[in-house]
Amino acid sequence: MTPHSNSFSMAIACILLMCSPCCFPAEAQSAQQLDEAAVNAAFRQSIDNARNGRYIEASFGLLEQLKVRSAEEIKDPDVFDQWSQIMSCMTAMPTFNPAKQPFFHVPEGQIQTLRDAQVTAAIPEITRRARHARIVMLDENHLDPRGRAFGLELARALRPLGFTILAAEALRRDADDSESLARMKQLWADGYVRQSSGYYLDDPVFADFLRQSLALGYKLVSYETARKEFSQEEREQDQTDNLIHRALNANPNAKILVYVGEHHAAERPIEVEAEKFRFLAQRLKEVTGIDPLTIDQAGLSSIPMNRPDADLYDIVASKVHGQSVVLMRHGQPISVGLLGGAVDLQVVHPRVEMVGGRPNWLYQMHRRPSSIPAGLLPKSGTRLVQAFIASEAADAIPIDQVLVIADKPVPALMLPPAVGVRYVTHDVPER
């Protein structure tokens, strides 16, 4: 789910609809309208703050605007997801969403398939299959930065196979195609993304995935719809057309890694909010005749975005030992859950271990722990400590950031070796 996804748009639309005069009896309309308007305003303000690098305002400020003391009091699952997404930018960890109900039913047969599954190391299996593929499509859980570190790991592995284009859903696309191309060329020249480059890129892990991919020699391509209002069908078709025009046709001999949100990797129709849709991977295959190698890493996330009525990760986690794996049965790949049977491969990541207060998978991004200078530590309350690469512009995304609580163990910043950084701090207002 993205801020411009069908689910998000429908949530906003419902809020706006509930604010309209026709929805409520005249005597109840004023109070209800005020409540919904306040939620809507807080939601939109949080999105705007995140897009402009104001993480404290986008998360703790959201709670203040909603007049709740903690995120557990947020009743709307989409509003909670917005809070969770920003918090993950400061912690590199996802947050369980108590407001979210089961999204779909998992048949008992799929659960048994998971119990019977064998596993094989993910990267070798993917690269073996990718040698003869022109397009590899990897999805993500937008609320879990872990998947972006795996995206970088895959980008590294695919580069020697001739992959040179990285098309990312999160990159901003302008209505004017020439402006979009100019924006991408500036990105290639800069070697890093900025606050204006797209949503979800406010996550330092995502930003560094793209930063390191640019350093590997990838060219970034944006393909998202540029419409301000759209149906799910319009969005999927726009994405398909843009990807064909801006990635395939513009680079006729190139191999392409496409990084998408969960649903878009489906090669057959899947049901979303009681309606079946044909998503990007299926449409791309139908139009071009190119069969993409599709990989799902979102469906078996430890905290799934589209929650099933069974804990699929818990069933399979015991099979995973220290490395990301692909599920197999009788020598053939299997997939379950929302994208069960709709993707070629399904990846499961090992349980996260905390090292120095940080998730251990950050080491896979060529990071090393670095102590925060003592003068930056808070004497009271909570402080966001950000590290920026010194040579990057003021509107760049932090290379890393952490929340530090006075008198609690101080987490390390995870920084690339031999890179100069500058620090910025922001205190969380006391409530």
Side-chain angles (χ1 to χ4, degrees):
M1 190 189 325
T2 69
H4 41 257
S5 72
N6 188 59
S7 299
F8 180 94
S9 300
M10 289 182 67
I12 290 292
C14 288
I15 290 173
L16 294 175
L17 180 61
M18 286 188 287
C19 292
S20 65
C22 63
C23 295
F24 306 103
E27 62 273 18
Q29 179 182 318
S30 178
Q32 184 69 40
Q33 187 177 30
L34 178 63
D35 290 342
E36 298 298 343
V39 172
N40 183 35
F43 198 23
R44 290 183 179 275
Q45 185 63 56
S46 177
I47 292 169
D48 184 66
N49 283 329
R51 283 175 172 156
N52 289 280
R54 298 188 291 265
Y55 299 90
I56 297 300
E57 293 88 340
S59 54
F60 295 94
L62 174 61
L63 301 183
E64 182 72 28
Q65 285 186 278
L66 294 174
K67 302 187 184 307
V68 298
R69 296 191 59 82
S70 68
E72 287 72 19
E73 297 178 36
I74 300 175
K75 302 303 181 185
D76 186 296
D78 289 310
V79 176
F80 187 100
D81 277 353
Q82 169 63 16
W83 174 87
S84 174
Q85 189 264 322
I86 304 307
M87 288 299 296
S88 74
C89 295
M90 298 185 286
T91 65
M93 291 291 290
T95 307
F96 181 78
N97 186 341
K100 189 172 288 185
Q101 298 300 311
F103 186 80
F104 60 93
H105 172 66
V106 182
E108 181 58 38
Q110 286 196 9
I111 293 176
Q112 189 59 47
T113 295
L114 264 189
R115 293 193 179 109
D116 295 340
Q118 294 90 42
V119 299
T120 189
I123 292 295
E125 183 66 22
I126 293 171
T127 53
R128 183 180 71 81
R129 294 170 180 268
R131 291 185 185 279
H132 304 292
R134 186 175 179 200
I135 299 174
V136 171
M137 187 175 293
L138 174 67
D139 73 7
E140 74 157 13
N141 177 343
H142 290 317
L143 305 178
D144 189 354
R146 171 69 182 85
R148 292 152 189 171
F150 184 74
L152 174 59
E153 192 177 352
L154 181 58
R156 288 195 199 114
L158 294 180
R159 190 68 184 89
L161 303 184
F163 283 77
T164 57
I165 303 294
L166 173 54
E169 172 190 308
L171 288 166
R172 171 182 167 184
R173 184 175 183 278
D174 299 287
D176 186 321
D177 207 50
S178 62
E179 290 183 11
S180 288
L181 183 57
R183 184 183 297 277
M184 288 303 103
K185 286 183 176 179
Q186 186 63 53
L187 265 180
W188 307 339
D190 290 341
Y192 59 90
V193 297
R194 300 171 183 252
Q195 292 170 1
S196 60
S197 297
Y199 201 72
Y200 292 123
L201 303 183
D202 50 354
D203 172 29
V205 176
F206 205 155
D208 198 40
F209 165 24
L210 300 188
R211 182 189 287 107
Q212 292 198 44
S213 295
L214 285 164
L216 288 168
Y218 280 94
K219 290 172 61 177
L220 301 185
V221 170
S222 60
Y223 66 89
E224 182 57 274
T225 182
R227 301 176 195 243
K228 294 187 182 301
E229 297 181 4
F230 47 82
S231 66
Q232 188 69 53
E233 291 283 343
E234 289 171 331
R235 184 187 181 201
E236 297 305 316
Q237 193 57 51
D238 282 357
Q239 287 190 340
T240 303
D241 294 342
N242 293 337
L243 198 54
I244 291 171
H245 173 61
R246 306 198 65 220
L248 290 168
N249 292 348
N251 306 276
N253 298 314
K255 290 190 164 192
I256 302 165
L257 171 59
V258 186
Y259 193 72
V260 304
E262 180 177 9
H263 299 146
H264 307 288
E267 294 188 59
R268 64 166 177 77
I270 59 173
E271 188 172 298
V272 178
E273 297 174 343
E275 187 174 354
K276 281 198 170 184
F277 292 100
R278 290 162 52 248
F279 284 90
L280 172 62
Q282 180 178 358
R283 291 169 186 259
L284 192 64
K285 183 176 179 179
E286 291 172 350
V287 174
T288 67
I290 299 172
D291 186 4
L293 175 62
T294 50
I295 307 156
D296 170 40
Q297 63 169 338
L300 293 179
S301 171
S302 60
I303 299 182
M305 185 169 61
N306 295 309
R307 184 174 300 162
D309 60 359
D311 190 340
L312 301 180
Y313 183 78
D314 191 60
I315 294 170
V316 77
S318 62
K319 303 173 186 287
V320 185
H321 301 288
Q323 65 177 338
S324 300
V325 299
V326 170
L327 296 178
M328 308 288 285
R329 190 178 186 188
H330 306 308
Q332 297 298 317
I334 59 173
S335 57
V336 300
L338 182 65
L339 270 63
V343 291
D344 296 313
L345 299 171
Q346 196 161 46
V347 173
V348 188
H349 299 304
R351 292 192 188 276
V352 175
E353 296 180 7
M354 303 302 286
V355 181
R358 307 303 304 282
N360 60 339
W361 51 260
L362 282 168
Y363 285 86
Q364 297 172 7
M365 301 187 74
H366 297 168
R367 306 288 190 90
R368 295 294 180 268
S370 177
S371 298
I372 298 172
L376 300 181
L377 300 178
K379 291 182 172 54
S380 64
T382 302
R383 176 174 291 174
L384 176 66
V385 179
Q386 301 176 303
F388 294 83
I389 292 180
S391 60
E392 295 183 353
D395 62 344
I397 309 300
I399 186 67
D400 194 22
Q401 57 185 4
V402 292
L403 286 169
V404 183
I405 303 173
D407 300 323
K408 299 291 185 182
V410 179
L413 283 166
M414 298 293 289
L415 304 177
V419 172
V421 298
R422 57 184 172 86
Y423 298 99
V424 177
T425 63
H426 302 272
D427 290 331
V428 177
E430 293 187 9
R431 300 180 59 192

